[in-house]
Amino acid sequence: MKKLWNLSFTYFILGIASGIFYREYTKYMGFEGRTALAYPHLHLLVLGMMLFLILMLFCQQTSLADSRKFKVFLILYNIGLPFMVIMLYVRGIAQVSAASLGQAANAAISGLAGIAHIIITIALVILFLALRDEYASPRH
């Protein structure tokens, strides 16, 4: 339970810091318009903080936290989400600084972001399987 709280709080701090960075960096650079830098804030708060707060409620009432699948989910998810946020930062900083990305660099950023999304998707499927196992057991 404490691990989930720590994860939630960590993602909260990162989410708030991300929002501050977005606001201050774009202001400093004199950038107006849409940028990928707007999204890490939301991703960290919703997919990080909120998800782990909700999972704390599930773990309070069940033995979900003891599940092997849940442990695999935690590892994969906590690789995928920061990886995805980093790629949003890479894309956003390139946009704000008006960096001229070549076709290969642009494709690499998109490809790595896609891999991060795949990791998160696999992690969430494993979470659903862990939840199914938990709630399909005879004690519920």
Side-chain angles (χ1 to χ4, degrees):
M1 187 72 76
K2 184 172 177 149
K3 182 181 212 172
L4 296 177
W5 185 89
N6 286 336
L7 284 167
S8 182
F9 188 67
T10 299
Y11 282 119
F12 167 73
I13 297 298
L14 291 172
I16 296 301
S18 181
I20 293 168
F21 175 77
Y22 163 65
R23 185 187 72 224
E24 295 302 320
Y25 184 67
T26 54
K27 186 171 35 171
Y28 175 77
M29 296 296 285
F31 182 84
E32 292 183 18
R34 297 182 59 89
T35 174
L37 284 180
Y39 299 110
H41 170 71
L42 181 65
H43 281 69
L44 289 165
L45 290 177
V46 175
L47 296 176
M49 180 195 74
M50 291 302 294
L51 178 71
F52 287 110
L53 284 176
I54 292 167
L55 287 175
M56 280 176 58
L57 296 174
F58 278 97
C59 290
Q60 221 173 16
Q61 303 297 319
T62 67
S63 60
L64 180 64
D66 300 327
S67 163
R68 184 183 183 308
K69 287 178 184 169
F70 186 74
K71 291 173 184 171
V72 170
F73 155 76
L74 281 177
I75 292 167
L76 285 176
Y77 196 80
N78 287 298
I79 291 170
L81 182 56
F83 185 21
M84 182 173 58
V85 167
I86 288 168
M87 296 318 299
L88 285 167
Y89 269 111
V90 169
R91 172 73 68 201
I93 289 172
Q95 289 169 334
V96 170
S97 66
S100 178
L101 296 177
Q103 188 176 1
N106 193 39
I109 292 169
S110 295
L112 290 171
I115 290 169
H117 279 82
I118 291 168
I119 292 170
I120 288 176
T121 301
I122 292 168
L124 289 171
V125 167
I126 293 170
L127 173 63
F128 274 99
L129 293 173
L131 287 167
R132 183 197 62 194
D133 291 351
E134 186 62 33
Y135 285 97
S137 66
R139 63 179 182 256
H140 289 284

